[in-house]
Amino acid sequence: MTQPELPAAFGLLASAHLGGGRTPTAVFATRGRHSRLSERLGPQTVDAVLVHPGDDCAKAHASDGDTLVLLAGEIYNRDEIHDTLGTPVDASDAELVSGLFAKYGTHAFRVLNGRFAALLATGGRLLAATDHAGSVPLYVRAEPGHVLAATEVKALTAAGSTVRGAPLPGARRVRGLPGLHQVPAGTVFDIRVETGAVAAHRTWTPPVHRRLVAEDEAVDRVRAALEAAVVRRLPGTHRPLVVLSGGIDSSAVAALSDGAATAGIDTLSMGTDTSDEFPQARVVARHLGSAHREITVASADLLTLLPHTVHAAESLDPEVIEYLLPLTALYRRMGGPARRVLTGYGADIPLGGMHREDRLPKLDTAVVRDMDTFDGLNEMSPVLSAVAGHWSTHPYWDREVLETLTSLEAGLKRRYGRDKWVLRAAMTDLLPAETVNRPKLGVHEGSGTTASFSALVLRAGAAEEEVAAVKGRVVRELFDRTVAGGVAPDDIDIEEVTGKIVAEGRG
Ligand code: ATP
Ligand code: MG
Ligand code: MG
């Protein structure tokens, strides 16, 4: 199974209400056309806006008169769903969700492997569902008689609200916006529109068990799972684009894409005037014969995109923002028609790649912690690339790959003095030895982003030991202004914000 070049919709905003209402104003960082739809389902009316890349978004919604499904993103286990439901092969992802709901009810969301946020309205209920990883963020505001849901916080702030919204036990609140909650990863919020009452159902949890597997068996499993995930993400007859650093994670995705894509692949690397990984990426591009391109961004220009990164990711985590900033710059500079982009993002989380830790108990503790705390960071958000019209997808966070990697015992992740050993071993026949053996280098390190952000903070007058705390406050300020406050990121001067934060720390 392959994918269309782009999903039918990238984002959505919906209002489910009992009384009269109007279609809310739609504000998204995601670029695309807006299509409106309105449907009456029993006692409730749903008014929605879909933001989509193509001329129409017919495949992003499905209705049979009783149930309306709205879907932003895409599904990867479509073949298996077809087998189960016996649906026509050209059924849309939204129709598959509708069919699964008819068969399994709320449990439908437990069988999906995808990158999506979905809304399903039926009777007096609105279901708001995330994929296993919450990789397409989804936010709700549930008031009696009126429920709002959207894939971006700023869409909900702009849609306005008269009531403050009820507190929602167990759900993450959104900073500075009372009554607004993020649907957790792998969760369905089952909301009664009349009362605004929410019941949360988990549909996925990170595995905490670990498998003792022979080396060969582990290597085979990782290779097979990753290959299947890559193939499920390829755009049919179109050429996929892989964002490539020359690190093992993205190089593996590039090699497997190249092996499966009929028309060959494009690869793209970014660097800055201070730092890049261009030589290492070129080794891989040459080895695969990909059409390769490099984009160099001035570090000063990179920093001006900090507000844009926070605005797109809607994340409050300064480290995550440092990972995502160079990618934001890359996507914004890509130009050309909208593309399907495969990344090597996220491999380090289940494999403990960034911990540089030899002691297995500590390594596994770190993996457990990272798998417990990823939710809400929005690291995988499609909005990063969708601000420039592109669709990104992350094979390592495919549900099956993520489960396979997470559940391997730590000694297969760290072995023979190597990090991510099992992944490296799984790729030895497809990549040059220097790539397979290359030590991990984070995107924030390889692009000099962390150093540039630190230099900005120090220039503003902060002391060395204050740098981390100031970065955190800068990111919060950017969130308050661009996400909660509705200020356009272009109108924000990052030097001014940093100076203000440092001065406040002094005061
Ligand atoms: P490793 O983690 O071993 O360094 P990696 O470089 O592929 O492997 P990360 O550093 O974790 O992975 O970066 C995450 C992802 O972001 C990469 O897999 C790649 O898709 C993308 N990326 C990182 N750096 C660059 C870059 N300089 N140019 C283009 N894409 C990049
Ligand atoms: Mg990595
Ligand atoms: Mg890297």
Side-chain angles (χ1 to χ4, degrees), residues 245-250 277 348 420 438-443:
S245 65
I248 184 63
D249 304 339
S250 48
E277 301 178 55
D348 297 285
K420 300 188 274 195
R438 190 177 165 217
K440 191 221 152 42
L441 186 70
V443 52

Side-chain angles (χ1 to χ4, degrees), residues 280-319:
Q280 293 84 352
R282 265 178 231 154
V283 167
V284 177
R286 222 172 283 133
H287 182 81
L288 299 175
S290 62
H292 186 61
R293 199 178 137 204
E294 294 168 352
I295 293 177
T296 302
V297 182
S299 292
D301 293 344
L302 190 68
L303 292 173
T304 65
L305 295 177
L306 268 165
H308 304 74
T309 307
V310 174
H311 181 246
E314 301 189 326
S315 176
L316 283 154
D317 188 293
E319 286 178 17

Side-chain angles (χ1 to χ4, degrees), residues 242-253 267-272 275-278 281 292-293 295 323 326-327 330-331 341-349 353-354 356 393-394 396 419-420 423-424 435 438-447:
V242 179
V243 281
L244 177 70
S245 65
I248 184 63
D249 304 339
S250 48
S251 300
V253 169
T267 48
L268 178 60
S269 299
M270 79 78 69
T272 64
S275 194
D276 66 60
E277 301 178 55
F278 288 157
H292 186 61
R293 199 178 137 204
I295 293 177
Y323 308 154
L327 297 172
L330 177 71
Y331 294 133
V341 180
L342 275 72
T343 84
Y345 207 93
D348 297 285
I349 302 172
M354 63 291 227
R356 296 167 176 137
T393 176
H394 315 299
Y396 291 98
D419 59 23
K420 300 188 274 195
L423 175 63
R424 298 178 190 281
T435 306
R438 190 177 165 217
K440 191 221 152 42
L441 186 70
V443 52
H444 55 304
E445 303 163 318
S447 58

Side-chain angles (χ1 to χ4, degrees), residues 132-134 172 182 184-185 202 204-206 208 315-317 319-320 323 349-350 354-355 364-380 397 406:
H132 65 286
R172 185 175 296 99
Q182 182 167 13
R202 282 315 292 268
W204 190 80
T205 51
V208 293
S315 176
L316 283 154
D317 188 293
E319 286 178 17
V320 164
Y323 308 154
I349 302 172
M354 63 291 227
H355 292 293
D364 202 25
T365 299
V367 170
V368 170
R369 191 183 52 237
D370 291 347
M371 290 302 298
D372 271 347
T373 53
F374 73 82
D375 191 18
L377 299 177
N378 293 357
E379 262 187 278
M380 312 284 161
W397 274 61
T406 306

Side-chain angles (χ1 to χ4, degrees), residues 49-280:
V49 181
L50 289 156
V51 53
H52 56 96
D55 288 341
D56 80 87
C57 60
K59 288 184 173 244
H61 55 94
S63 173
D64 60 8
D66 292 325
T67 302
L68 169 69
V69 173
L70 304 172
L71 188 90
E74 61 193 11
I75 291 170
Y76 300 122
N77 61 339
R78 220 183 270 151
D79 290 347
E80 294 85 343
I81 299 170
H82 281 301
D83 288 348
T84 304
L85 297 180
T87 35
V89 282
D90 61 348
S92 68
D93 287 0
E95 286 169 333
L96 295 185
V97 173
S98 186
L100 287 172
F101 183 74
K103 181 166 178 176
Y104 299 109
T106 313
H107 299 294
F109 295 100
R110 293 190 168 165
V111 306
L112 291 170
N113 176 11
R115 172 162 172 72
F116 66 85
L119 299 177
L120 189 152
T122 185
R125 298 155 69 198
L126 182 75
L127 306 185
T130 52
D131 66 43
H132 65 286
S135 77
V136 178
L138 183 61
Y139 302 88
V140 299
R141 169 175 263 149
E143 299 163 9
H146 186 199
V147 180
L148 282 167
T151 47
E152 294 180 38
V153 170
K154 62 190 87 62
L156 291 186
T157 14
S161 171
T162 45
V163 195
R164 301 230 103 192
L168 220 163
R172 185 175 296 99
R173 295 151 178 277
V174 179
R175 175 183 161 84
L177 299 165
L180 228 158
H181 294 86
Q182 182 167 13
V183 182
T187 298
V188 181
F189 276 178
D190 188 344
I191 309 167
R192 297 237 148 248
V193 177
E194 186 184 357
T195 59
V198 178
H201 300 278
R202 282 315 292 268
T203 54
W204 190 80
T205 51
V208 293
H209 69 282
R210 299 294 181 255
R211 287 180 197 283
L212 290 168
V213 197
E215 281 186 1
D216 289 355
E217 173 71 22
V219 165
D220 289 350
R221 279 191 203 176
V222 167
R223 171 72 170 263
L226 187 60
E227 187 160 5
V230 166
V231 168
R232 286 194 285 253
R233 282 164 175 74
L234 291 177
T237 53
H238 295 88
R239 288 168 74 88
L241 176 84
V242 179
V243 281
L244 177 70
S245 65
I248 184 63
D249 304 339
S250 48
S251 300
V253 169
L256 293 169
S257 300
D258 182 63
T262 44
I265 67 164
D266 298 334
T267 48
L268 178 60
S269 299
M270 79 78 69
T272 64
D273 51 358
T274 54
S275 194
D276 66 60
E277 301 178 55
F278 288 157
Q280 293 84 352

